[in-house]
Amino acid sequence: MPVTPLTLVKGDEHGSETDYRDALPVNMYAVQRKILGADGYMLNYPGLTSFGTGLGIDRGGIYNERHIDHYRVSGTRLISVSSIGVVTDLGFVSGSKQAALPYSFNTQAIITNGKMWLYDSVNGLVEVTDSDLGEPIDGVWIDGYYFLTDGEYIYHTDITSES
């Protein structure tokens, strides 16, 4: 069976070694189907590409603008994923449920399975063990306070202590 060439739309790209070079499509495949007078077209590959492989099942993630870092709960580990995909293990987070990840000026909070942890680069990952904490399922940081809920009540941290 003869192979029918497909018309490619080519762009231009400047390189340090040349004034002009063709920039061929990346992550695309050819579809041989007559359309708009052409013998086929290029289509993106479906799905995602692997980047910064975690340490378990993904339970939530957030880009923390204060810390300029991307945090994820992967399995039972809090990890940091750098812009080039390097994964750093930051500590243990128990449970298996989805994690909420609000953050303040100083800390990154992790709320999951009715527990709360706070992470910062100085103290590391620390579980909050205050008896007034209850069993939070979600939270948000507003005006110097972490506001938490257990699904029935709303409560908050102290202005002098985020824990």
Side-chain angles (χ1 to χ4, degrees):
M1 182 165 115
V3 176
T4 306
L6 296 178
T7 305
L8 293 178
V9 177
K10 293 185 178 182
D12 62 349
E13 179 177 317
H14 294 281
S16 59
E17 69 284 346
T18 61
D19 291 333
Y20 170 86
R21 63 182 168 175
D22 288 336
L24 297 175
V26 178
N27 294 335
M28 301 183 91
Y29 64 96
V31 176
Q32 285 188 309
R33 186 175 303 144
K34 296 224 182 257
I35 184 169
L36 299 174
D39 290 329
Y41 57 94
M42 300 300 286
L43 188 65
N44 287 328
Y45 281 106
L48 302 173
T49 59
S50 180
F51 180 82
T53 304
L55 305 174
I57 295 172
D58 181 34
R59 296 170 51 198
I62 194 164
Y63 180 76
N64 184 316
E65 293 179 358
R66 301 291 181 184
H67 293 182
I68 310 173
D69 210 348
H70 177 82
Y71 297 110
R72 299 200 75 71
V73 177
S74 182
T76 58
R77 310 303 297 180
L78 175 66
I79 61 173
S80 167
V81 182
S82 76
S83 61
I84 59 171
V86 175
V87 174
T88 305
D89 186 357
L90 302 174
F92 176 78
V93 177
S94 68
S96 60
K97 294 182 179 177
Q98 196 70 20
L101 296 154
Y103 61 90
S104 71
F105 289 120
N106 305 313
T107 60
Q108 172 66 58
I110 300 94
I111 302 167
T112 184
N113 286 78
K115 296 181 180 181
M116 178 178 177
W117 289 263
L118 293 176
Y119 172 79
D120 67 60
S121 59
V122 175
N123 299 312
L125 184 64
V126 178
E127 184 177 353
V128 177
T129 57
D130 190 311
S131 60
D132 294 331
L133 178 62
E135 295 184 8
I137 60 171
D138 202 0
V140 66
W141 187 78
I142 303 171
D143 292 337
Y145 297 91
Y146 277 113
F147 282 85
L148 309 164
T149 184
D150 59 8
E152 187 174 350
Y153 298 103
I154 296 175
Y155 42 98
H156 61 82
T157 59
D158 191 311
I159 191 75
T160 60
S161 173
E162 293 181 350
S163 63

